[in-house]
């Protein structure tokens, strides 16, 4: 009798508790190169915790970012779709958001994995960098905010880390702005002055009102611009907790420690129910920073210090999972949003960008160095330890992978470009599901990759390549970043072709002589590209000039209690108390 009741109780328990869906922890570095982690071959940077993930999990060695730039790559990561489908790819020069007060962003009509998992009962949090927009029309609509995209909780940086966010460092952005705004304005001023002189000499006739109006306009734009530069740091570099600003300007002091504490706090609070944590590091984008325990400790200057501090943070997250007995129930993914920014060298010659290992190029171009990223998946008991997979995979694959694990059906009304990774990782598939991958430079189709079924070859064609400079360099040092149009690129017709399975460094372009099937391969790849292009729909451009400029009326401000006219506050101490 007693046994019967016990069995019934067990049965009831089993029925009311469906197989536990795994927790999902996604760790993303910013601008970390595939040549940086120890487990990807670096002998001098110390990343014991990332290596620990790889030792006990699977290491992807042909893991590809959907774009070599932050904003589009992250948009694709969140949605499992090519950035061009989302309107998150531009034909213009600037392909990312630079301002917290611009109006573009990930459209709310898009479905992120966070939305899918929240609908499945997951607790969801984004800690760290977002970079996918904030507001549309006013300072309170928060139409692109992480909470609108499926995260229950957001703590972090709405835009991105920039050199200009760190006192005493900022020149990169201000310089670019100077050439784009300041110099044209100066020109305009000189032109107006000349006209005024001509009018004074009665050589031309223009009503006085028009002159005064034009002068005032130029003066106003100039004043706004100077104000903006002066206030850039507080206006753009701030931390938010959900919809509230928690620190403006953001302080770098113990920043990684604070993010880590938020992340581990979130895990502790949700140990009893399934959760999704996206820990999106501010490391290792410039401005580089590290706390006292890590500063000046690595063999690679401030860059190495930043990587090693981030690695420490990865270790803290793993430790908490083990401590709470959640390791076997948690899938952990580690990656970077794109290749290392090789042009990040200080005027004194110190490397502030990472290493892309043996690969050519880096961030902002589609040589392998720009898009090959670390990709590690860890799930003790479910993923075989120490596995290495060299099949093409994409950061868009996380979307369908975690959706499936959470039991969420994929949206049927749109194209999903990612593929479920589990069959490949668990050995049910030997060959990647990605027969073709399309590599965009902003909105320009730059390259195509083809991994034919039943073949080891991985063909890659490039329609154009950036003009590296100076001669013989591995990047575009004069512009600090490669661009994808005009005089900045070389077109190739026929496209350059490589078999990256044999020539991962893309050194020897194939020709009809060295590859007898050259034209046949090219035809198939061109057809696939045409098919892909036909599948695209016209969508609003979220990165149009109008959508990326600074709009004063969208500027968030945490009013200072001590000084009028300034945005400055620090609610961090208070916040930490709440979240612990
Ligand atoms: C901000 O914009 C939203 C959406 O357009 C609107 O509903 C809301 O009323 C606006 N808020 C203010 C304060 O204007
Ligand atoms: C940063 O962390 C160190 C060591 O934990 C601590 O001594 C220091 O007070 C912290 N600084 C701030 C501003 O919290
Ligand atoms: C690290 O070295 C730099 C340059 O030598 C120095 O300015 C800084 O104070 C050092 N930081 C620490 C925490 O030792
Ligand atoms: C290791 O990383 C550092 C910092 O990015 C880099 O300078 C070095 O070349 C890398 N080593 C290898 C073998 O890639
Ligand atoms: C986790 O899974 C492994 C392998 O299946 C097993 O040996 C270990 O005991 C499990 N740990 C816990 C805490 O359940
Ligand atoms: C392109 O699309 C057509 C029609 O759907 C299909 O028959 C063909 O196999 C596709 N080509 C490639 C290379 O995928």
């Amino acid at each position: 009798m007693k046994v019967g009741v016990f069995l019934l109780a067990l049965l009831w328990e089993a029925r009311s508790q469906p197989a536990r869906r795994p927790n999902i922890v996604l760790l993303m570095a910013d601008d970390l190169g595939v040549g940086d982690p120890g487990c990807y071959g670096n002998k001098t940077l110390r990343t014991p915790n990332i290596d620990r993930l790889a030792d006990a999990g699977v290491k992807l060695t042909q893991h590809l970012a959907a774009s070599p730039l932050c904003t589009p790559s992250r948009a694709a990561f969140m949605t499992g779709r090519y950035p061009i489908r989302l309107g998150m790819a531009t034909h213009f020069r600037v392909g990312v958001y630079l301002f917290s007060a611009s109006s573009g962003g990930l459209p709310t009509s898009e479905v992120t994995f966070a939305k899918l998992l929240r609908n499945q009962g997951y607790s969801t949090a984004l800690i760290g960098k977002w970079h996918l927009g904030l507001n549309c029309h006013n300072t309170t609509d928060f139409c692109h905010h992480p909470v609108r995209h499926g995260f229950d909780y957001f703590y972090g940086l709405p835009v991105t880390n920039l050199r200009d966010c760190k006192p005493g460092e900022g020149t990169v952005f201000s310089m670019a702005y100077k050439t784009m705004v300041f110099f044209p304005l100066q020109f305009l001023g000189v032109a107006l002055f000349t006209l005024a002189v001509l009018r004074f000499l009665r050589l031309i006739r223009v009503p006085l009102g028009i002159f005064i109006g034009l002068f005032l306009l130029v003066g106003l734009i100039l004043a706004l611009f100077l104000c903006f530069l002066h206030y850039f740091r507080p206006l753009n570099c701030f931390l938010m907790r959900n919809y509230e600003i928690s620190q403006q300007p953001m302080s770098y002091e113990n920043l990684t420690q604070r993010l880590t504490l938020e992340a581990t706090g979130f895990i502790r609070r949700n140990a009893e129910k399934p959760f999704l944590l996206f820990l999106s590091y501010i490391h290792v984008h410039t401005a580089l920073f590290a706390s006292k325990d890590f500063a000046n400790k690595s063999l690679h200057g401030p860059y190495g210090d930043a990587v090693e501090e981030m690695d420490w943070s990865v270790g803290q997250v793993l430790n908490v999972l083990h401590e709470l007995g959640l390791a076997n129930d948690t899938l952990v993914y580690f990656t970077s949003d794109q290749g290392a920014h090789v042009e990040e060298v200080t005027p004194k010659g110190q490397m502030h960008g990472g290493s892309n290992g043996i690969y050519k190029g880096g961030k902002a171009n589609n040589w392998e160095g720009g898009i090959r990223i670390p990709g590690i998946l860890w799930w003790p008991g479910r993923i075989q330890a120490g596995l290495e997979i060299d099949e093409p995979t994409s950061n868009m694959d996380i979307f369908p992978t975690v959706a499936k694990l959470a039991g969420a059906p994929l949206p049927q009304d749109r194209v999903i470009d990612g593929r479920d990774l589990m069959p490949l990782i668990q050995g049910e598939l030997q060959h990647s599901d990605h027969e073709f991958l399309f590599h965009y430079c902003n909105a320009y189709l730059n390259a195509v990759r083809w991994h034919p079924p039943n073949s080891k070859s991985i063909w890659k064609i490039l329609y154009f390549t950036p003009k590296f400079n100076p001669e013989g360099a591995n990047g575009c040092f004069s512009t600090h970043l490669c661009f994808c149009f005009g005089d900045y690129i070389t077109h190739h017709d026929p496209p350059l072709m490589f078999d990256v399975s044999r020539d991962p460094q893309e050194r020897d372009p194939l020709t009809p002589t060295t590859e007898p099937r050259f034209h046949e391969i090219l035809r198939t790849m061109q057809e696939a590209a045409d098919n892909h292009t036909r599948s695209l729909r016209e969508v609003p451009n979220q990165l149009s000039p109008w959508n990326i400029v600074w709009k004063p009326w969208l500027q968030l401000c945490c009013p200072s209690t001590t000084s009028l006219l300034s945005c400055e506050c620090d609610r961090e101490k208070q916040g930490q108390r709440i979240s612990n």
Side-chain angles (χ1 to χ4, degrees):
M1 179 64 193
K2 260 192 185 156
V3 172
V5 170
F6 179 67
L7 280 180
L8 262 179
L10 261 188
L11 198 67
W12 189 81
E13 181 112 337
R15 278 202 174 173
S16 62
Q17 286 190 344
R20 196 190 149 109
R21 292 156 298 161
N23 307 307
I24 310 286
V25 174
L26 308 172
L27 308 168
M28 182 179 278
D30 195 355
D31 286 5
L32 182 77
V34 75
D36 287 327
C39 52
Y40 280 89
N42 201 305
K43 302 252 183 309
T44 46
L45 255 180
R46 289 161 300 199
T47 58
N49 294 297
I50 299 170
D51 302 349
R52 173 149 71 111
L53 275 178
D55 283 345
V58 48
K59 181 170 78 177
L60 305 173
T61 51
Q62 195 178 158
H63 196 46
L64 300 153
S67 164
L69 271 185
C70 299
T71 295
S73 171
R74 286 160 188 266
F77 173 67
M78 292 301 308
T79 58
R81 286 151 59 76
Y82 286 113
I84 189 114
R85 297 196 198 281
L86 319 167
M88 302 293 276
T90 180
H91 284 102
F92 301 96
R93 181 181 297 228
V94 180
V96 301
Y97 297 115
L98 295 171
F99 307 114
S100 59
S102 50
S103 55
L106 189 62
T108 26
S109 55
E110 291 300 330
V111 178
T112 65
F113 56 71
K115 263 187 204 166
L116 289 183
L117 268 59
R118 182 158 72 179
N119 287 345
Q120 293 299 112
Y122 276 64
S123 285
T124 57
L126 166 64
I127 314 284
K129 162 170 161 165
W130 172 238
H131 212 181
L132 295 175
L134 201 53
N135 286 304
C136 290
H137 306 293
N138 58 43
T139 52
T140 52
D141 64 41
F142 292 114
C143 63
H144 303 302
H145 188 283
V147 170
R148 292 292 166 81
H149 278 296
F151 291 104
D152 298 323
Y153 181 63
F154 168 54
Y155 171 77
L157 189 59
V159 198
T160 184
N161 185 20
L162 285 172
R163 275 184 190 277
D164 309 64
C165 292
K166 199 172 173 187
E169 273 218 25
T171 52
V172 175
F173 179 77
S174 338
M175 280 305 288
Y177 212 65
K178 240 178 214 162
T179 42
M180 278 157 60
V181 180
F182 200 66
F183 296 146
L185 264 185
Q186 266 181 337
F187 176 77
L188 206 67
V190 170
L192 264 179
F193 182 75
T194 314
L195 280 179
V197 171
L198 290 179
R199 185 181 178 277
F200 178 74
L201 296 175
R202 292 178 188 277
L203 290 172
I204 52 167
R205 258 182 289 167
V206 181
L208 187 66
I210 289 188
F211 263 112
I212 295 179
L214 280 176
F215 266 114
L216 284 180
L217 190 69
V218 170
L220 184 75
I221 296 177
L222 202 63
L224 266 177
F225 167 62
L226 290 177
C227 256
F228 180 80
L229 273 195
H230 181 71
Y231 288 111
F232 180 84
R233 198 163 73 88
L235 289 186
N236 221 30
C237 315
F238 55 83
L239 296 176
M240 294 184 84
R241 189 183 307 280
N242 295 329
Y243 294 126
E244 293 257 299
I245 292 181
S246 79
Q247 193 175 50
Q248 188 176 28
M250 156 180 97
S251 155
Y252 285 93
E253 184 153 7
N254 298 353
L255 182 52
T256 307
Q257 283 68 15
R258 284 183 273 151
L259 294 176
T260 308
L261 206 61
E262 287 280 346
T264 53
F266 173 79
I267 295 174
R268 286 181 196 285
R269 288 198 300 278
N270 291 284
E272 302 298 323
K273 49 187 173 198
F275 61 81
L276 160 75
L277 167 66
F278 178 16
L279 176 52
S280 171
Y281 288 106
I282 310 229
H283 281 318
V284 289
H285 198 289
T286 54
L288 298 173
F289 62 96
S291 64
K292 226 170 90 241
D293 291 347
F294 295 91
N296 302 337
K297 296 282 161 63
S298 79
L299 297 173
H300 293 286
Y303 181 81
D305 297 345
V307 174
E308 294 187 8
E309 185 175 65
M310 179 184 68
D311 178 78
W312 162 84
S313 172
V314 171
Q316 295 298 301
V317 171
L318 288 185
N319 290 351
V320 170
L321 292 176
H322 281 298
E323 178 200 322
L324 299 176
L326 296 175
N328 282 5
D329 298 324
T330 306
L331 171 70
V332 178
Y333 170 66
F334 177 85
T335 193
S336 173
D337 55 356
Q338 69 251 330
H341 190 177
V342 293
E343 292 95 344
E344 270 289 1
V345 185
T346 64
K348 285 185 188 141
Q350 192 174 46
M351 279 302 299
H352 276 193
S355 158
N356 294 316
I358 62 163
Y359 303 108
K360 193 186 282 189
K363 177 175 180 173
N365 61 70
N366 280 304
W367 290 113
E368 291 293 279
I371 48 179
R372 281 229 192 190
I373 47 176
I376 302 170
L377 289 137
W378 176 95
W379 187 0
R382 283 294 296 274
I383 294 179
Q384 198 190 320
L387 218 56
E388 201 176 306
I389 295 179
D390 197 34
E391 289 286 304
T393 53
S394 165
N395 67 345
M396 296 183 291
D397 297 342
I398 294 306
F399 178 91
T401 305
V402 303
K404 179 93 180 288
L405 291 173
L410 290 181
Q412 295 300 309
D413 59 344
R414 61 197 70 204
V415 180
I416 303 292
D417 299 296
R419 299 282 182 273
D420 183 6
L421 281 171
M422 291 312 279
L424 192 64
I425 286 168
Q426 300 198 303
E428 290 157 30
L429 272 184
Q430 303 300 320
H431 202 86
S432 165
D433 254 359
H434 288 290
E435 185 175 351
F436 295 99
L437 277 166
F438 304 96
H439 303 296
Y440 281 85
C441 189
N442 288 348
Y444 302 94
L445 182 59
N446 188 169
V448 181
R449 179 182 310 254
W450 181 30
H451 188 29
N454 311 316
S455 163
K456 282 201 168 12
S457 296
I458 293 169
W459 309 106
K460 181 177 174 187
I461 54 173
L462 291 115
Y463 296 109
F464 62 85
T465 50
K467 287 181 187 160
F468 282 168
N469 59 69
E471 199 71 48
N474 182 39
C476 306
F477 287 85
S478 71
T479 43
H480 194 65
L481 208 68
C482 293
F483 298 125
C484 0
F485 58 87
D487 282 344
Y488 298 107
I489 58 170
T490 310
H491 285 277
H492 303 284
D493 188 17
L496 291 185
M497 183 188 293
F498 301 93
D499 178 354
V500 289
S501 73
R502 283 179 293 158
D503 180 15
Q505 292 168 285
E506 299 167 280
R507 276 201 293 216
D508 303 310
L510 300 168
T511 63
T513 323
T514 54
E515 176 49 62
R517 288 177 303 151
F518 186 93
H519 289 293
E520 185 192 327
I521 295 163
L522 193 58
R523 235 186 341 266
T524 306
M525 294 181 78
Q526 189 53 53
E527 191 183 300
D530 292 342
N531 284 0
H532 161 76
T533 307
R534 268 197 298 277
S535 78
L536 302 177
R537 298 284 166 267
E538 195 74 42
V539 290
N541 183 355
Q542 300 293 334
L543 285 159
S544 65
W546 181 240
N547 273 334
I548 66 165
V549 291
W550 177 58
K551 295 184 172 168
W553 62 93
L554 294 183
Q555 183 62 53
L556 294 190
C557 180
C558 187
S560 161
T561 48
T562 51
S563 110
L564 222 62
L565 272 181
S566 84
C567 300
E568 236 183 296
C569 69
D570 191 350
R571 300 172 179 155
E572 283 291 279
K573 296 269 151 35
Q574 203 184 335
Q576 302 243 323
R577 238 178 284 129
I578 296 169
S579 67
N580 287 335

